[in-house]
Amino acid sequence: MKYFFKKSFICSLICCVIGLTGCGESKEKTVTQFLIRTSLITVSSLNFSEELDRKRAAYPYDIKKNPVEYNDMVIHLVKIISDEIVLLSAASDKKINITDQEAAAAEKEFKKEYPEDSFDQILLEEAISYPLWKKRFKRNMIIEKLIDQELKEKIEITPNDIVEFYNNNFETNQNSKGNATVLNKIEDERELVTRLRIQKTQEKYSGWIQNLYNTYPVEINEDKLKSFLIDIKKNKEYKNEKEN
């Protein structure tokens, strides 16, 4: 995602295209169909199954032959989705949104990094439709806006912080004429502050999102989740039977 690793933003969009449902469903329907949910957002078993199929495409086709690795992949996806619905729940609660005009402008700027038809080729290779990608793009913008507003912009930076950050990250040597040569040149103090703010955001992110988890606890339907996992014990018993 752009707020941490801009270069991997396209991967985030491709690897986590989740169909999310709001809280307007009937209680009975939500109880029977949900796999993961907060009080505001629900991910159904069908949504999860579709996303798991996409995630599996990045792994060896025979990954199910390694139940431990396969189950780790499933649990990792549960974590990714849980993080996202917690962030989106917070954004919804705080009335944070992105207009269609803002999304269109950001998309135009984003595509500049992908010359000619390379962007379309990526979507084609990953079997993701453009409308689905576009929906996901806007959702990531909402999350980015939440992090900027509720975490990044609230970080205080003192002059001492700037000096320490500079000394720790930008080495200087004396050249033959006795002039200081900055090995990692920066444009100006504003860029230095920007980099420092990003670093502090990364450092505070884990604690910040944990607080969001406390405010928007995630409920996982463990019985339904089991249907996505390989029972390692039964798998071993089946292998032993085949060998005997």
Side-chain angles (χ1 to χ4, degrees):
M1 291 182 184
K2 182 180 175 184
Y3 45 84
F4 279 165
F5 308 107
K6 184 175 181 181
K7 290 183 180 179
S8 66
F9 192 35
I10 184 68
C11 298
S12 298
L13 295 169
I14 286 175
C15 296
C16 197
V17 184
I18 306 165
L20 302 178
T21 305
C23 53
E25 298 174 299
S26 67
K27 184 175 180 181
E28 181 180 356
K29 186 177 180 182
T30 301
V31 169
T32 56
Q33 292 190 348
F34 92 94
L35 180 69
I36 311 169
R37 68 181 178 186
T38 65
S39 59
L40 298 176
I41 297 176
T42 295
V43 178
S44 70
S45 294
L46 178 60
N47 298 149
F48 186 84
S49 179
E50 291 171 348
E51 180 53 32
L52 183 59
D53 286 343
R54 294 188 185 95
K55 189 173 180 66
R56 283 184 62 183
Y59 287 78
Y61 75 93
D62 59 349
I63 186 175
K64 279 196 169 184
K65 291 183 179 180
N66 187 334
V68 173
E69 184 178 353
Y70 181 84
N71 288 349
D72 284 345
M73 177 188 68
V74 174
I75 296 303
H76 182 248
L77 180 58
V78 170
K79 171 61 176 170
I80 291 174
I81 294 176
S82 297
D83 282 358
E84 181 171 67
I85 64 174
V86 165
L87 291 165
L88 290 173
S89 293
S92 176
D93 222 8
K94 298 177 184 298
K95 310 296 187 215
I96 294 174
N97 206 348
I98 297 293
T99 66
D100 290 341
Q101 292 80 2
E102 289 174 323
E107 181 182 335
K108 184 178 180 180
E109 186 66 25
F110 176 75
K111 286 183 176 178
K112 289 180 180 179
E113 299 184 13
Y114 298 88
E116 299 179 353
D117 64 345
S118 59
F119 175 78
D120 294 332
Q121 286 298 319
I122 291 174
L123 295 186
L124 185 63
E125 291 170 5
E126 299 296 335
I128 294 175
S129 68
Y130 172 68
L132 193 58
W133 178 89
K134 191 171 183 178
K135 184 177 181 180
R136 178 62 193 165
F137 183 82
K138 186 174 181 179
R139 189 170 290 142
N140 273 273
M141 286 184 67
I142 293 173
I143 292 176
E144 180 185 342
K145 189 173 181 179
L146 169 74
I147 293 175
D148 282 347
Q149 178 178 305
E150 299 297 318
L151 176 61
K152 190 175 179 180
E153 293 175 1
K154 292 183 178 180
I155 292 175
E156 295 183 1
I157 295 178
T158 68
N160 286 339
D161 290 333
I162 297 174
V163 171
E164 183 178 358
F165 180 73
Y166 182 87
N167 289 338
N168 290 338
N169 292 277
F170 301 97
E171 301 177 33
T172 59
N173 283 336
Q174 293 293 321
N175 61 20
S176 58
K177 294 182 180 180
N179 297 321
T181 301
V182 181
L183 299 182
N184 295 293
K185 186 178 179 181
I186 56 174
E187 293 296 328
D188 51 33
E189 185 177 342
R190 182 176 298 179
E191 183 179 346
L192 182 63
V193 172
T194 297
R195 296 189 188 190
L196 175 56
R197 191 175 297 279
I198 290 172
Q199 177 177 296
K200 283 182 172 288
T201 299
Q202 292 172 336
E203 292 171 352
K204 291 180 178 294
Y205 181 81
S206 294
W208 176 75
I209 195 173
Q210 185 56 58
N211 288 333
L212 290 184
Y213 265 92
N214 295 335
T215 305
Y216 307 96
V218 172
E219 183 180 359
I220 297 173
N221 189 328
E222 294 185 2
D223 288 336
K224 286 192 176 295
L225 180 58
K226 287 178 182 177
S227 67
F228 293 97
L229 298 168
I230 297 175
D231 188 319
I232 296 178
K233 182 177 179 181
K234 287 185 178 180
N235 189 265
K236 287 182 177 179
E237 291 174 352
Y238 174 73
K239 284 185 176 181
N240 290 336
E241 289 177 2
K242 286 188 67 177
E243 290 173 358
N244 295 330

